[in-house]
Structures are given as C-alpha cells and as structure tokens.
Amino acid sequence: MGIEEYGGGQGPHPDVLVVTTNDVPGYEVRQVIGEVFGLTVRSRHLGSQIGAGLKSMIGGELKGLTKTLVETRNQAMERLVEQARARGANAVLMFRFDVTEAADVGTEVCAYGTAVVMARSPRAP
C-alpha cells in the first residue's frame, strides 16, 4: 500500500473548506447553517476478519483493515461535504469523526461538523 492509501482529506482548493478548528484565520462567519454529517456503515469482510485474527497473534499492522477504515472515513467525509454544499455552505467548522461498532457486523463512521458561510474578513491582510 502506498502512502496515498493511508490518508484522506481535501485537495488544495476545495469549494467547501473542512477544518477541525472553530474559525479560519482571515475569514469571518457570515451565517451558521447548522450541523451536517456524513454517515456510512461498512460490513466486515470474512477474509479480512480471518487475516486480522491471525495477525493479532503475531502482531503488526492490519493493513487490510487500515485501508478499509481510510476508505470508510473518506466516504463519510465526502457525504458531509455534499450535505454542506446542498445546504449552501462554503465551509464546515469543528469537523470530527465518530466511529462505533454497528450491531457487531460492521463499523459505522460518522463525519460531522458545523456548516457555515464564510467570507474573507475586511481586516485580513
């Protein structure tokens, strides 16, 4: 697995900025739209479960599960951005992930934050 398969996030010029902070330097919030979220649930693949069980006995990273979780988080984030865009936002502040087990058959990943409309601050350099 290459480094690009281990991460996620946005490209260099997103139309909906997603940040974990409460504000963005040089910008001000003009309108708070409200909470938005993206949710996905992934079932466990039998092969990866067996492989994970064997790997846990000898130690080391569970690369198949890592890749699946990265893909799942990216999908949840894409859905969050789609919802924010549909509601007229150009940013999501206080972005977070929540991960839980779903009825012992899969993993639920929820990406959530506060959708806002931001504009460059008149005081920005």
Side-chain angles (χ1 to χ4, degrees):
M1 247 186 333
I3 191 69
E4 66 280 351
E5 294 178 290
Y6 285 106
Q10 298 183 293
H13 303 290
D15 65 324
V16 176
L17 179 66
V18 178
V19 296
T20 59
T21 57
N22 296 335
D23 52 22
V24 176
Y27 288 81
E28 60 185 36
V29 174
R30 297 281 171 91
Q31 178 187 359
V32 175
I33 294 172
E35 180 187 8
V36 289
F37 66 91
L39 181 68
T40 186
V41 178
R42 293 278 176 107
S43 65
R44 294 188 182 130
H45 182 273
L46 180 60
S48 67
Q49 286 295 98
I50 293 169
L54 294 173
K55 190 74 166 186
S56 68
M57 291 194 283
I58 59 171
E61 181 180 8
L62 306 173
K63 290 185 179 183
L65 292 176
T66 299
K67 184 176 179 183
T68 298
L69 186 55
V70 167
E71 291 169 354
T72 304
R73 284 179 175 230
N74 287 341
Q75 183 178 46
M77 186 172 177
E78 287 169 11
R79 290 178 177 176
L80 166 106
V81 169
E82 288 171 13
Q83 188 182 81
R85 186 182 299 118
R87 294 181 62 191
N90 65 357
V92 176
L93 304 178
M94 298 175 287
F95 169 73
R96 303 287 187 269
F97 281 114
D98 185 41
V99 180
T100 57
E101 293 297 311
D104 204 34
V105 295
T107 302
E108 171 191 338
V109 175
C110 182
Y112 64 95
T114 303
V116 300
V117 175
M118 291 191 338
R120 200 140 206 24
S121 174
R123 298 177 297 267

